[in-house]
Amino acid sequence: MDNTIFDDVFRTMVEKMPELTVPLINEVFDTDYGYEVEMAQLRNEHQDESGEVICDSCLQIGEKLYHIECESTDDTTMAVRMIEYDFRIGVEHAKKEGRKYYIEFPRSCVLYLRDTANTPDYLEAEVLMPEGNICWYRIPTIKMSRYKKEELIAKGLDMLLPFYVMRYEKAGEELEKDEDKRGELLEEYKEIYGHLEKKYKEKESGRHTDMVSLIMRIVEYIFREEKEVRKGIGEIMGGRVLQLESERLREEGREEGREEGREEGIKVLILDNQDEGISEKRIIEKLQKRYALNREQAEVYYRKFSGC
């Protein structure tokens, strides 16, 4: 079974809707960041001699780094993989004092879309250092199966709503045949749609469309054999939506104009911040947050417009 759709949906939200990660970070790490907190998306590709190591997300809020991985199954090697990711992130952002380096690991967690009775609440590893000291690596996990729809909505965990349907994937055949049980599922999606409509449609219509799109991508994958279930949820969510708003605009030939306007906005941001004496690092972070750029893209724009 091809599980890349889950990675695609998760990374789409991280890259195009990074503010949705804030409630998830608050939930996992017991922080209290506001919805509008300034956030920078950092590079998630880390190269070594054997090739690229790609993590799902690496975000910075203030001086803190956050790393969230999304897994569709319980991988027993995940603790080792996470240490590898976190070490590379830590090295990339290491601080140097003379000949001594200070390496801080990011605050990390793993989101399990599916879990079993053996899926741990924490991933753990002991690291034996050459001088005999043992470093204890321990990060939390978050399990979709533990969250009811009401809790996701109450806590603002909209980022997890596209994956909510996965709790029903083993009941697909029953839902297809049993109209009453299918009706109960559809009632849940009426509540989800109502929540999204109330929260986003008036002020952020594009966000409303994008969220519906992502939800339907997962629904259509999970229930690819259940025509009536797909049809019922699709009608509630406003019809079959296959692409994000930005993709639709590109197809209509408007993307070129949008890109020109976007570049002009980037140029104005850079020049205005330079006039105010803002540092290059801070300007690049602002570009990453406001325009959903990775660090390399932001640096290219900075070099292009700096000092114009």
Side-chain angles (χ1 to χ4, degrees), residues 5 9 161-162 165 189 209-223 229-243:
I5 186 172
V9 168
L161 287 176
V165 73
Y189 273 85
T209 302
D210 290 351
M211 288 298 296
V212 169
S213 170
L214 295 175
I215 287 173
M216 286 308 301
R217 287 185 182 185
I218 303 296
V219 166
E220 292 186 350
Y221 179 78
I222 294 296
F223 293 128
V229 179
R230 293 198 314 272
K231 177 183 176 183
I233 297 178
E235 289 176 350
I236 288 169
M237 303 303 284
R240 190 178 182 201
V241 184
L242 295 178
Q243 298 172 310

Side-chain angles (χ1 to χ4, degrees), residues 116-128:
T116 70
N118 295 322
T119 304
D121 292 332
Y122 292 87
L123 297 179
E124 300 174 315
E126 291 184 20
V127 182
L128 178 63

Side-chain angles (χ1 to χ4, degrees), residues 262-306:
R262 185 170 183 260
E263 285 208 358
E264 183 62 27
I266 290 172
K267 178 180 178 181
V268 170
L269 185 150
I270 291 171
L271 296 179
D272 285 352
N273 278 264
Q274 284 183 325
D275 289 344
E276 294 176 11
I278 305 298
S279 68
E280 175 182 338
K281 177 182 177 182
R282 184 67 179 130
I283 294 173
I284 288 173
E285 289 174 352
K286 287 187 176 184
L287 290 174
Q288 288 180 267
K289 178 180 182 297
R290 183 170 299 180
Y291 294 99
L293 304 172
N294 61 38
R295 186 169 186 83
E296 183 179 354
Q297 292 169 327
E299 288 175 346
V300 168
Y301 277 120
Y302 185 86
R303 289 194 296 271
K304 180 177 181 180
F305 295 121
S306 178

Side-chain angles (χ1 to χ4, degrees), residues 6-19:
F6 305 124
D7 293 333
D8 291 344
V9 168
F10 181 80
R11 289 180 180 176
T12 294
M13 287 188 285
V14 170
E15 293 174 9
K16 297 187 177 182
M17 318 171 195
E19 70 279 0

